[in-house]
Amino acid sequence: MLSLESVQSFLFQEARAQSEKRWEDWLAFYAEDAVFHMPSWDDDAQLTSDPQSEVSLIYYPNRQGLEDRVFRIETDRSSATIPDTRWNRSITNVEILKQGEGSVEVAFNWTTHTYRYHQTDVYFGTAVYQLDTRGAKPLIKSKYVVLKNDYIHHVLDVYQV
C-alpha cells in the first residue's frame, strides 16, 4: 500500500523530470503498455470518450508513442517545441481514489505555465493516473488528462499537461 505522501512524491518527481527535460528519466515512470489519453471537448459540457473513433487532443495506446514524442523533441523534429519552450507544471489536490492489490488510482489538479514566442500561457486541468505498484517502483499504466482551457494559443505537447 502506498501512502499519500509517497504518491505525491512520485507525481512531483515525474513532473520535475519532465520540466528538467530529463526525458529518459521521465519515460522510466511509464509502463511499456501505458495509455496516455487527453480527450477533446465534444461540446461545452461533454468530453469525447473513444479515442479510436472520436477526436482526442493526445492519445498514445502505449509508451512507444511517448518515446516517439521524446525522440522528436530531442532531435528538433517537433513543431510544438520550436522555438524552444520553457514550462513548469504544478500539482495540487492529490487524492488516492482506489488502492488494491498491485494498483493505485490517483487524481489531482495541475497547472502548467509555458513561455514561448515571448508570451506566457497557462494550461490547467485534472488528471487520473492508474499506477502499477507490483514492481520495485510504481509505474504509470494509464494517464487520463482533462484540459480545462477554452482556448489553446499554440500546439500542445505532452510536457504541457
Side-chain angles (χ1 to χ4, degrees):
M1 299 291 261
L2 290 179
S3 68
L4 179 60
E5 183 178 284
S6 57
V7 167
Q8 288 174 324
S9 178
F10 176 85
L11 296 172
F12 298 157
Q13 289 172 30
E14 184 233 352
R16 190 176 73 246
Q18 193 183 57
S19 291
E20 294 175 356
K21 300 181 183 181
R22 291 184 289 113
W23 295 115
E24 291 306 313
D25 293 343
W26 180 69
L27 287 170
F29 283 87
Y30 291 81
E32 291 295 325
D33 59 347
V35 176
F36 187 119
H37 185 208
M38 185 167 69
S40 62
W41 290 94
D42 194 16
D43 60 36
D44 283 340
Q46 187 68 39
L47 289 165
T48 60
S49 60
D50 183 358
Q52 302 298 327
S53 63
E54 297 175 297
V55 174
S56 294
L57 296 173
I58 298 175
Y59 176 69
Y60 296 118
N62 55 49
R63 192 173 108 170
Q64 186 175 348
L66 295 175
E67 291 168 353
D68 180 63
R69 286 304 310 140
V70 167
F71 173 78
R72 291 173 186 276
I73 290 165
E74 289 184 318
T75 58
D76 294 332
R77 295 180 181 163
S78 167
S79 62
T81 54
I82 300 171
D84 192 28
T85 303
R86 294 182 296 212
W87 68 90
N88 195 60
R89 182 165 32 117
S90 298
I91 295 171
T92 63
N93 298 59
V94 178
E95 295 179 84
I96 295 174
L97 299 179
K98 284 193 269 190
Q99 194 156 184
E101 188 66 35
S103 68
V104 176
E105 182 176 10
V106 194
F108 58 92
N109 297 334
W110 57 269
T111 303
T112 303
H113 291 79
T114 66
Y115 180 77
R116 185 175 184 209
Y117 297 120
H118 305 286
Q119 180 176 332
T120 300
D121 289 309
V122 177
Y123 301 98
F124 64 100
T126 61
V128 176
Y129 284 18
Q130 303 291 332
L131 303 179
D132 181 346
T133 59
R134 294 174 293 173
K137 66 174 196 159
L139 291 174
I140 300 167
K141 293 283 285 178
S142 172
K143 180 174 182 170
Y144 181 80
V145 179
V146 175
L147 177 70
K148 301 237 176 149
N149 290 61
D150 284 342
Y151 183 74
I152 302 168
H153 299 281
H154 307 291
V155 178
L156 280 175
D157 210 329
V158 293
Y159 55 80
Q160 293 161 312
V161 296

